[in-house]
């Protein structure tokens, strides 16, 4: 249960950022810069000094620490944005909530189901805001697709398929990150990137009930798993598929097809095409910043006004559970079910 | 074992056609017309007289019968082309081989695995040519793709995915066929059409070892199953996927993606694109008649010269086994394996 006594406060949230890597610099900070009336970055932390120092300069010469516990001890930090390697989430999120800070942490919530469930439990008993930065949940694109489905634009949906093929290699700056290459969480790049797809799938079609998967690896340089194909059913009986390979040469695709009784929705990049055989087809473009600004707005509203968190720990735990169960299924050859 | 004593004969094969439906008229006859020096149609048979009469006129006013056994009894019929509803194949093929006729029969070989295996057994002990008209096996398109794979055009293949989405409805003449709507074989349109895809997949990547599938039905008017998604591994460890829905509205796709270590092959309709990140990409078009002419040429060579049958009963049995096992897997939720 959360108690909010600060409904009258409208001052910016004093935010500490833990982790000064690419995601902090390229994804979170650009959104925070647009929200200066709501967030004041008061401290940053990175365990290596050059990155901490560099990022502290970028965000306005704020104090930096090398030990996240020092940042958590600061009185001028009321909330933290945790942007760390996946396997560190459990420890640092736990310490942050226990230190009485509101938390927004980068997806996925954790690298194991045990860690994820522990964090959900912790969030439930915390009076602080606990949120996972799953930007997909804030993208206008998927909100619009959901509206279209709900407004019966293609009739009853019977199935969907998301094919996501690209080449993740040295040309991608994220591929240089040591914790990504030698990943301490199952699934490697599939977990890291694919959790966004699962979040979108759950947002659009509801919870996944059962399925099966196969995984394999093409390029050991990017980790131990770079390819997955999974088929599954949602609790409402829709048939879904998520197919990803991060080691495709000479071809790329990122397309979600949604098949309805009377039409098909095609989502590619920022475009939504509604295809209807009766000539009522149309196309919309839903360019946004990836949902990052809306995500921090939600965090602000939750902290300052007790607003409902959209991307809760529970949702994030359910996202990652699908992938972790899928890996187990691929390993064992036994289909998975989710309670 | 087959014994051929007629290596010196070059006269046309005296061919009886059993079944005067759309496939006989639109697929087989156009190819036979081009091969007049190799085939003389001497009789046709259909259990309803108007169709028998009409087709007999089309092919040159040959005698027609309503009972296939009468056709099999004719001395001027040395081989038969069986183009019947799937569930009749076992009975009519058996009678034809036992009557001492060479047999070419429309795919799939049978609607059940028991029937298919029985026919394989029969063919093995027959001295007559036994062939399934799986035209895919004769398409230049797939022969060329196989060459490209073997010549290392995209490096080692790790996976492939075939997506086949279209709308099978009253606008398609095959959809009016009563035996297709009220199908006496599992899988309905998936069996009927999808067996071509499985044949191509086996031709390119070898036998399928194990997998799982889900099936569902969108449009009861075309049968009890019109959609499938299956993931599988080949005996050589390649990861494959076959996804088909014959009830997609407003969208269609028929695309096979083959992912290799150094590139991707994209096959759409008659086009092969070889995509290579090092700029060595190219496109080829492989327009043919669907392989029908080459298929009958193979039949002729087998009958007259003892040439090897490419599309044997055994291959056809293995094709259909994949789909039948996939349906069982979809039903039971238990992955399938193939010995």
């Amino acid at each position: 249960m959360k108690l909010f006594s600060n409904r009258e406060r409208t001052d910016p949230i004093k935010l500490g950022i833990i982790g000064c890597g690419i995601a902090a610099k390229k994804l979170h900070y650009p959104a925070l810069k647009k929200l200066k009336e709501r967030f004041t970055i008061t401290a940053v932390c990175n365990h290596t000094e050059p990155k901490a120092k560099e990022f502290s300069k970028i965000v306005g010469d704020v104090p930096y620490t090398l030990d996240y516990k020092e940042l958590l001890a600061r009185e001028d930090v009321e909330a933290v944005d945790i942007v760390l390697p996946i396997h560190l989430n459990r420890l640092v999120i736990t310490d942050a909530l226990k230190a009485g800070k509101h938390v927004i942490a980068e997806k996925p919530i954790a690298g194991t189901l045990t860690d994820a469930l522990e964090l959900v439990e912790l969030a439930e008993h915390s009076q602080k805001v606990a949120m996972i930065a799953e930007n997909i949940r804030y993208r206008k694109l998927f909100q619009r697709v959901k509206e279209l489905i709900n407004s019966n634009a293609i009739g009853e949906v019977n199935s969907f398929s998301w094919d996501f093929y690209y080449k993740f290699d040295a040309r991608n700056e994220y591929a240089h990150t040591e914790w990504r290459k030698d990943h301490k969480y199952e699934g490697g790049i599939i977990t890291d990137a694919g959790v966004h797809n699962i979040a979108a799938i759950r947002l659009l079609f509801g919870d996944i009930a059962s399925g099966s998967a196969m995984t394999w690896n093409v390029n050991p340089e990017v980790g131990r798993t770079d390819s997955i194909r999974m088929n599954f059913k949602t609790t409402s009986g829709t048939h879904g598929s998520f197919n990803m390979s991060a080691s495709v040469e000479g071809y790329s695709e990122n397309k979600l097809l949604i098949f309805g009784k009377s039409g098909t929705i095609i989502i590619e990049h920022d475009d939504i095409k509604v295809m209807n055989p009766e000539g009522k087809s149309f196309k919309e473009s839903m360019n946004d910043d990836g949902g990052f600004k809306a995500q921090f707005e939600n965090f602000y509203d939750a902290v300052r006004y007790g607003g409902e968190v959209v991307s809760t720990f529970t949702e994030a735990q359910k996202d990652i559970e699908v992938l972790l169960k899928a890996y187990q299924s691929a390993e064992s050859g036994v289909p998975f079910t989710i309670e």
Side-chain angles (χ1 to χ4, degrees), chain A:
Chain A
M1 199 182 64
K2 293 179 180 61
L3 296 171
F4 294 91
S5 54
N6 51 7
R7 289 188 169 270
E8 299 311 310
R9 289 180 62 183
T10 58
D11 55 313
I13 291 170
K14 291 191 282 289
L15 185 73
I17 299 180
I18 302 176
C20 302
I22 314 168
K25 277 192 279 188
K26 302 254 173 128
L27 302 176
H28 289 216
Y29 182 58
L32 288 167
K33 251 201 315 196
K34 290 181 206 147
L35 294 166
K36 285 201 169 154
E37 289 176 14
R38 305 196 199 182
F39 294 95
T40 303
I41 300 169
T42 49
V44 301
C45 166
N46 200 79
H47 77 295
T48 54
E49 188 160 13
K51 275 169 87 175
K53 208 166 174 174
E54 184 206 5
F55 192 55
S56 99
K57 283 229 169 67
I58 291 172
V59 304
D61 263 324
V62 303
Y64 67 84
T65 70
L66 305 186
D67 181 344
Y68 74 92
K69 288 186 179 171
E70 281 176 33
L71 184 142
L72 292 179
R74 294 180 69 101
E75 297 226 334
D76 64 352
V77 168
E78 54 177 320
V80 287
D81 181 14
I82 299 172
V83 201
L84 287 174
I86 297 168
H87 64 281
L88 298 178
N89 265 0
R90 191 197 56 77
L91 179 68
V92 182
I93 292 173
T94 301
D95 286 345
L97 285 173
K98 286 189 173 163
K101 311 296 182 187
H102 301 288
V103 167
I104 177 170
E106 186 56 11
K107 45 50 63 183
I109 185 171
T112 71
L113 192 53
T114 315
D115 283 2
L117 288 167
E118 201 177 298
L119 288 172
V120 167
E121 176 85 10
L122 192 73
E124 270 169 15
H125 293 91
S126 169
Q127 294 192 6
K128 297 294 164 182
V129 170
M131 176 169 161
I132 296 299
E134 177 47 86
N135 55 298
I136 283 291
R137 290 212 159 74
Y138 300 91
R139 287 210 64 186
K140 283 181 199 152
L141 182 76
F142 295 108
Q143 288 165 26
R144 178 61 183 144
V145 173
K146 189 155 188 169
E147 268 174 30
L148 286 166
I149 293 171
N150 291 345
S151 70
N152 218 29
I154 56 165
E156 194 192 350
V157 171
N158 65 76
S159 62
F160 58 88
S161 177
W162 198 330
D163 289 344
F164 182 25
Y165 305 130
Y166 69 114
K167 177 70 180 173
F168 182 68
D169 67 3
R171 288 165 293 184
N172 184 313
E173 61 181 333
Y174 289 95
H176 295 275
T177 312
E178 209 45 56
W179 63 265
R180 284 199 167 81
K181 290 193 272 188
D182 181 21
H183 49 91
K184 293 182 176 64
Y185 46 93
E186 266 188 284
I189 184 65
I190 303 292
T191 299
D192 194 16
V195 74
H196 288 306
N197 302 72
I198 301 299
I201 285 168
R202 291 189 53 256
L203 177 72
L204 294 174
F205 309 106
D207 280 336
I208 288 165
S210 61
S212 62
M214 52 190 194
T215 58
W216 65 101
N217 201 41
V218 181
N219 181 13
E221 282 171 34
V222 297
R224 298 183 303 279
T225 309
D226 60 14
S227 304
I228 188 170
R229 300 196 72 90
M230 60 183 288
N231 288 334
F232 48 86
K233 283 181 210 167
T234 68
T235 52
S236 62
T238 307
H239 296 80
S241 189
F242 173 54
N243 308 304
M244 172 177 167
S245 177
S247 295
V248 168
E249 287 285 3
Y251 180 77
S252 67
E253 184 176 345
N254 190 356
K255 185 162 72 174
L256 170 58
L257 290 170
I258 307 172
F259 301 109
K261 185 83 181 171
S262 63
T264 300
I265 297 177
I266 306 164
I267 299 130
E268 270 188 292
H269 307 288
D270 294 332
D271 296 332
I272 305 168
K273 279 189 221 160
V274 179
M275 310 294 282
N276 196 298
E278 284 149 37
K280 288 178 284 179
S281 301
F282 58 93
K283 183 178 155 181
E284 293 181 5
S285 278
M286 284 284 146
N287 202 349
D288 60 23
D289 72 336
F292 289 99
K293 185 162 164 272
Q295 169 181 282
F296 280 106
E297 285 168 345
N298 181 220
F299 186 61
Y300 179 85
D301 290 342
V303 171
R304 280 289 176 262
Y305 306 120
E308 203 175 331
V309 170
V310 172
S311 185
T312 60
F313 276 25
T314 301
E315 290 299 328
Q317 173 258 310
K318 288 182 176 179
D319 293 344
I320 199 66
E321 182 172 4
V322 173
L323 286 173
L324 295 172
K325 291 264 170 86
Y327 303 143
Q328 284 170 12
S329 165
E331 193 78 24
S332 66
V334 178
F336 67 85
T337 53
I338 295 178
E339 298 306 307

